[in-house]
Amino acid sequence: MTALEGRIAVVTGASSGIGAACARALADAGATIVAVARRKDRLAALTAELGRGSLPFVIDMTQPDAAQALHDFVMERFERADILVNNAGILHAAPLDAFDLDQLRPMIALNYETVVRTSTLFGRTMKAAGRGQIINISSIGANILAPGVGVYGGLKRALEAFTDCLRIELAGTGVKVGIVAPGTTSTEIFEDMKSRGQPSWDSFIPPMQPDDVAQAVSFMAQQSQRTNMARIQIYAAADSH
């Protein structure tokens, strides 16, 4: 019997990159996955591959009612959620004179507000059940001070503050809360940079791959109920931060 056999795991941003890798890693450990993203065809292919009764849920998580719709879907189908992985996110990084302010609201919505909404809704349900785990994907960017990354890094820092407070609030309830903060990982998140002819961060050093991050998420999810692994920070081997 695998460690997460029978668990229901919800993974946002699951159509590619770290999210898809997390879905695979958790399914390999025995979980049934609810894979969440906008791209229907990718989610359908992923959940068919995963098996174990895994289901796609197609939605734009930047919408204010998306978290409630996701929560209601999971409760209707499974009556519980054992693991929530908040992975969905976008990156727009540019110097002050070039930063597109139209990107600000979508970044706030997906990188912070969505995490708060889903964590709150699922956290309430998990608390009532006396068991569950919330894993929020942050970034080492939360602690990097550099030109052009203030919005992205600031939102990740806010995410981490919220996550740490939630962990403390839920201590003793049976609900565990943790952060996985990866360094440079080769995913589609850098497409915005590349589309503007800006060197993407994964072009400077040999980056990690999504599977590397997913293994950390799976490891955190498989810890004893007696423990709460609050944070895993992973750097690419060549990263000098």
Side-chain angles (χ1 to χ4, degrees), residues 59-98:
I59 199 164
D60 179 355
M61 289 302 295
T62 65
Q63 299 305 307
D65 60 350
Q68 187 70 62
L70 172 60
H71 177 269
D72 292 348
F73 172 82
V74 175
M75 292 304 110
E76 180 182 342
R77 295 299 182 97
F78 300 104
E79 299 183 342
R80 73 183 198 282
D82 301 299
I83 302 165
L84 169 66
V85 180
N86 281 308
N87 163 75
I90 51 177
L91 169 65
H92 179 72
L96 178 70
D97 293 337

Side-chain angles (χ1 to χ4, degrees), residues 7-218:
R7 304 281 183 88
I8 307 301
V10 181
V11 181
T12 70
S15 62
S16 67
I18 291 171
C22 285
R24 292 187 178 98
L26 294 171
D28 286 346
T32 295
I33 309 299
V34 178
V36 186
R38 293 174 300 169
R39 292 179 285 191
K40 181 178 180 179
D41 55 340
R42 291 199 182 190
L43 291 185
L46 175 64
T47 51
E49 169 196 335
L50 298 179
R52 296 185 175 276
S54 297
L55 293 174
F57 187 71
V58 181
I59 199 164
D60 179 355
M61 289 302 295
T62 65
Q63 299 305 307
D65 60 350
Q68 187 70 62
L70 172 60
H71 177 269
D72 292 348
F73 172 82
V74 175
M75 292 304 110
E76 180 182 342
R77 295 299 182 97
F78 300 104
E79 299 183 342
R80 73 183 198 282
D82 301 299
I83 302 165
L84 169 66
V85 180
N86 281 308
N87 163 75
I90 51 177
L91 169 65
H92 179 72
L96 178 70
D97 293 337
F99 189 87
D100 181 0
L101 286 172
D102 288 339
Q103 299 289 329
L104 181 58
R105 283 186 180 274
M107 287 181 69
I108 293 172
L110 192 57
N111 293 11
Y112 183 72
E113 183 180 351
T114 291
V115 178
V116 174
R117 288 180 180 274
T118 53
S119 296
T120 299
L121 292 171
F122 283 95
R124 289 170 180 167
T125 301
M126 290 174 177
K127 181 181 178 182
R131 186 180 181 92
Q133 184 166 28
I134 297 169
I135 301 174
N136 290 335
I137 306 301
S138 182
S139 167
I140 64 169
N143 297 299
I144 292 175
L145 302 179
V149 299
V151 174
Y152 180 77
L155 289 171
K156 289 299 186 183
R157 188 175 295 187
L159 178 153
E160 293 196 357
F162 167 76
T163 304
D164 285 336
C165 288
L166 185 64
R167 173 175 50 81
I168 292 168
E169 182 172 350
L170 291 174
T173 68
V175 183
K176 303 192 289 185
V177 182
I179 294 166
V180 173
T184 306
T185 309
S186 185
T187 72
E188 292 180 3
I189 202 169
F190 295 119
E191 286 187 353
D192 177 70
M193 286 181 166
K194 294 174 182 177
S195 70
R196 291 181 285 109
Q198 182 178 344
S200 61
W201 298 341
D202 61 345
S203 66
F204 295 110
I205 61 170
M208 293 187 294
Q209 296 302 312
D211 286 347
D212 300 321
V213 183
Q215 290 305 312
V217 171
S218 182

